[in-house]
Amino acid sequence: MSTQSRSGTPHAARPPVDDTSVPSFESSGGDWDEIAAEIAELGEERIVVNMGPQHPSTHGVLRLMLEIDGETVTEARCGVGYLHTGIEKNMEFRTWTQGVAFCTRMDYLAPFFQEAAYCLGIERLLGIEDDVPDRAQVIRVLLMELNRVASHLVCLGTGGNEMGATTVMTISFTAREEILRIFESITGLRMNHAFIRPGGVAQDVPAGLSEDFWHMDTEVRKYLAQLGDLMLANPIFKSRLVGTGHLNLAGCMALGVTGPVLRSAGLPYDVRKSAPYCGYETYDFDVPTSTDADCYSRVVLRIEECYQSLKIAAQCIERLERSVGEPVMVADKKIAWPAQLAVGTDGAGNSFEHIREIMGQSMEALIHHFKLVTEGFRVPAGQVFQTVEHPRGELGVHLVSDGGTRPYRAHFRDPSFNNLQAVALMCEGGQVADVVVAVASLDPVLGGVDR
């Protein structure tokens, strides 16, 4: 016996298959009550659902594998690695200074924190921590604190959008634009700046920064007040977040969770206070905490942290006004690269005075400039671990030098990677809709996870 294919070609008929032992759930007819009864006879049913990667509620390329019973999540697991960049390995083949352009791209929403941690580690290996000019440290603090506000605004905006509150997103991103304009005026870029360098920063802040800052400060505070009015007393918002994604202090400590999630469980751990860097011990600010340990408390804390960061940034502006003209890079020209930057009509580049010296007046300066740019400076052999308080928690960098001009090893302890371990504890036992809220409260950025 044979049958005809669609193209008309005869082929042998398949032998009948005994599929009586295999339950069928095809909706090819029959009553739904009969199908439901058949499912009940089978006993426990295991349904596994993939959320992501490339899902609008998993912050990019996070993959969540959910085992569900109806709408209840019985098991939740994370799958990472879909955005692997190889940044840490690439840094082994670049000079110490060039490494800044790589690590700034890890957590692309908080680039200044990777830059600062990396450069602080290099400065400790070089033994020049006390030689970095105060003005450079103030600029670093200013950039990091404004970056903290911008990062939290993305967290609040995307989290609101994932729950259907588009207005929350538009207000958050409008506020963030005000901060990105400040970044662009200082570094020339909105993201991935590579502005913090070993020994200081690439160049001084532009004239008129104070006026731009105070305008930004007024606007951002206005938008933060709007966000508070929209979210914190909203009954729908509270019904979605209060009591959702609960993770107590014991769970945070067991999983190494840090940042706003840890502080929402009551522990006021903040690297800026526990192990100050860049002169943070000289600034006046508070570390807000809560004991509710749920998604709602993390929103409240992030908004309050934005106000505290603006408070620190205002102190930075006052210090910059008192230190105009002071250096922003170490005096040692064997480390200070690039040298004497200036912003001209063609963008950022070496100043005309520096070019005139190395090209027409000093052969030694030209040779030194060439070797510093192409080969880089040498870092004494050793290793160091440096931490900073990232918007998502404690960021650590482990640097190993073999005495050469390139890192022997560079490894980053990104807070998003560690915090994602909490997904199972926060989501299991809740509903599928609560998974969206719980993940948003962690605020993961996969560029830092898959480095």
Side-chain angles (χ1 to χ4, degrees), residues 31-84:
D31 187 74
W32 279 108
D33 290 336
E34 295 176 4
I35 297 174
E38 186 178 359
I39 293 174
E41 290 176 3
L42 291 173
E44 182 181 358
E45 184 190 23
R46 185 172 187 266
I47 299 178
V48 178
V49 175
N50 273 303
M51 282 183 65
Q54 302 296 351
H55 187 281
S57 294
T58 57
H59 292 247
V61 288
L62 174 65
R63 180 190 178 195
L64 296 173
M65 293 157 280
L66 307 177
E67 180 181 319
I68 61 174
D69 179 10
E71 283 291 316
T72 302
V73 178
T74 56
E75 184 179 350
R77 289 179 292 166
C78 284
V80 300
Y82 293 90
L83 191 64
H84 189 61

Side-chain angles (χ1 to χ4, degrees), residues 93 242 432:
F93 298 89
V242 174
V432 175

Side-chain angles (χ1 to χ4, degrees), residues 9-127:
T9 305
H11 57 78
R14 295 179 181 177
V17 178
D18 180 14
D19 57 358
T20 56
S21 61
V22 181
S24 175
F25 300 104
E26 295 179 357
S27 57
S28 56
D31 187 74
W32 279 108
D33 290 336
E34 295 176 4
I35 297 174
E38 186 178 359
I39 293 174
E41 290 176 3
L42 291 173
E44 182 181 358
E45 184 190 23
R46 185 172 187 266
I47 299 178
V48 178
V49 175
N50 273 303
M51 282 183 65
Q54 302 296 351
H55 187 281
S57 294
T58 57
H59 292 247
V61 288
L62 174 65
R63 180 190 178 195
L64 296 173
M65 293 157 280
L66 307 177
E67 180 181 319
I68 61 174
D69 179 10
E71 283 291 316
T72 302
V73 178
T74 56
E75 184 179 350
R77 289 179 292 166
C78 284
V80 300
Y82 293 90
L83 191 64
H84 189 61
T85 55
I87 285 176
E88 292 177 339
K89 194 64 180 176
N90 272 299
M91 291 173 73
E92 298 174 14
F93 298 89
R94 300 295 188 275
T95 67
W96 290 94
T97 300
Q98 289 171 335
V100 179
F102 281 84
C103 67
T104 188
R105 287 165 166 77
M106 288 180 176
D107 185 330
Y108 35 80
L109 295 181
F112 287 117
F113 295 90
Q114 286 94 232
E115 297 178 23
Y118 175 68
C119 291
L120 287 169
I122 295 174
E123 289 159 6
R124 285 177 60 187
L125 285 172
L126 289 168

Side-chain angles (χ1 to χ4, degrees), residues 8 15 54 58 81 111 119 125 127 139 152 168 179 192 236 302 348 352 377 392:
Q54 302 296 351
T58 57
C119 291
L125 285 172
I139 295 173
H152 282 347
V168 172
I179 297 174
N192 305 331
I236 300 175
R302 286 189 173 98
F352 174 74
F377 52 78
R392 275 157 279 286

Side-chain angles (χ1 to χ4, degrees), residues 71-194:
E71 283 291 316
T72 302
V73 178
T74 56
E75 184 179 350
R77 289 179 292 166
C78 284
V80 300
Y82 293 90
L83 191 64
H84 189 61
T85 55
I87 285 176
E88 292 177 339
K89 194 64 180 176
N90 272 299
M91 291 173 73
E92 298 174 14
F93 298 89
R94 300 295 188 275
T95 67
W96 290 94
T97 300
Q98 289 171 335
V100 179
F102 281 84
C103 67
T104 188
R105 287 165 166 77
M106 288 180 176
D107 185 330
Y108 35 80
L109 295 181
F112 287 117
F113 295 90
Q114 286 94 232
E115 297 178 23
Y118 175 68
C119 291
L120 287 169
I122 295 174
E123 289 159 6
R124 285 177 60 187
L125 285 172
L126 289 168
I128 61 170
E129 308 103 302
D130 297 333
D131 299 330
V132 178
D134 291 339
R135 186 173 176 85
Q137 299 286 31
V138 173
I139 295 173
R140 290 177 174 182
V141 172
L142 172 67
L143 294 173
M144 283 190 284
E145 292 310 312
L146 292 181
N147 201 176
R148 192 184 312 280
V149 179
S151 179
H152 282 347
L153 286 170
V154 173
C155 172
L156 298 171
T158 55
N161 188 59
E162 288 162 4
M163 290 180 283
T166 306
T167 306
V168 172
M169 183 192 71
T170 56
I171 291 176
S172 297
F173 276 69
T174 304
R176 179 172 176 258
E177 282 296 311
E178 298 290 337
I179 297 174
L180 294 187
R181 290 191 189 98
I182 298 292
F183 290 164
E184 190 171 9
S185 70
I186 296 174
T187 73
L189 295 168
R190 292 158 55 89
M191 298 171 66
N192 305 331
H193 311 271

Side-chain angles (χ1 to χ4, degrees), residues 29 39 147 176 187 220 234 262 291 296 298 406 447 449:
I39 293 174
N147 201 176
R176 179 172 176 258
T187 73
V220 171
N234 187 321
L262 174 63
T291 56
Y296 182 79
R298 291 163 203 148
R406 302 178 299 182
V449 174

Side-chain angles (χ1 to χ4, degrees), residues 134-405:
D134 291 339
R135 186 173 176 85
Q137 299 286 31
V138 173
I139 295 173
R140 290 177 174 182
V141 172
L142 172 67
L143 294 173
M144 283 190 284
E145 292 310 312
L146 292 181
N147 201 176
R148 192 184 312 280
V149 179
S151 179
H152 282 347
L153 286 170
V154 173
C155 172
L156 298 171
T158 55
N161 188 59
E162 288 162 4
M163 290 180 283
T166 306
T167 306
V168 172
M169 183 192 71
T170 56
I171 291 176
S172 297
F173 276 69
T174 304
R176 179 172 176 258
E177 282 296 311
E178 298 290 337
I179 297 174
L180 294 187
R181 290 191 189 98
I182 298 292
F183 290 164
E184 190 171 9
S185 70
I186 296 174
T187 73
L189 295 168
R190 292 158 55 89
M191 298 171 66
N192 305 331
H193 311 271
F195 184 78
I196 298 176
R197 305 288 176 85
V201 294
Q203 62 188 28
D204 204 348
V205 296
L209 176 64
S210 296
E211 292 77 6
D212 294 340
F213 171 83
W214 292 117
H215 172 77
M216 177 278 301
D217 183 79
T218 301
E219 293 297 308
V220 171
R221 288 179 183 274
K222 179 182 69 176
Y223 290 124
L224 286 172
Q226 291 182 18
L227 287 173
D229 293 339
L230 272 173
M231 296 188 295
L232 300 186
N234 187 321
I236 300 175
F237 188 85
K238 294 181 71 174
S239 67
R240 291 292 306 274
L241 274 74
V242 174
T244 302
H246 188 271
L247 184 66
N248 61 21
L249 182 56
C252 291
M253 298 297 287
L255 296 173
V257 172
T258 53
V261 181
L262 174 63
R263 292 190 283 272
S264 73
L267 185 65
Y269 178 71
D270 189 309
V271 182
R272 294 173 296 176
K273 293 285 190 180
S274 61
Y277 53 93
C278 294
Y280 267 109
E281 66 276 11
T282 65
Y283 291 87
D284 177 28
F285 67 99
D286 298 319
V287 179
T289 61
S290 172
T291 56
D292 295 333
D294 61 1
C295 293
Y296 182 79
S297 64
R298 291 163 203 148
V299 171
V300 175
L301 289 185
R302 286 189 173 98
I303 292 177
E304 180 57 31
E305 285 187 13
C306 288
Y307 285 112
Q308 293 296 326
S309 291
L310 290 175
K311 180 180 179 181
I312 297 173
Q315 297 172 57
C316 292
I317 291 296
E318 294 172 358
R319 297 185 186 194
L320 290 176
E321 290 173 346
R322 295 196 300 265
S323 61
V324 174
E326 294 183 6
V328 296
M329 180 61 77
V330 292
D332 188 352
K333 294 301 181 183
K334 294 182 179 179
I335 296 173
W337 181 85
Q340 309 304 316
L341 280 180
V343 179
T345 56
D346 59 345
N350 292 107
S351 67
F352 174 74
E353 291 77 12
H354 180 67
I355 297 299
R356 182 172 58 186
E357 179 187 3
I358 66 175
M359 296 301 293
Q361 299 178 5
S362 173
M363 178 59 73
E364 284 107 359
L366 176 61
I367 294 171
H368 175 70
H369 179 90
F370 179 80
K371 287 183 64 66
L372 188 61
V373 171
T374 57
E375 181 181 299
F377 52 78
R378 295 188 178 274
V379 174
Q383 62 179 331
V384 67
F385 184 73
Q386 175 68 44
T387 60
V388 300
E389 185 62 33
H390 189 280
R392 275 157 279 286
E394 184 174 12
L395 169 71
V397 56
H398 179 213
L399 298 176
V400 181
S401 173
D402 60 359
T405 59

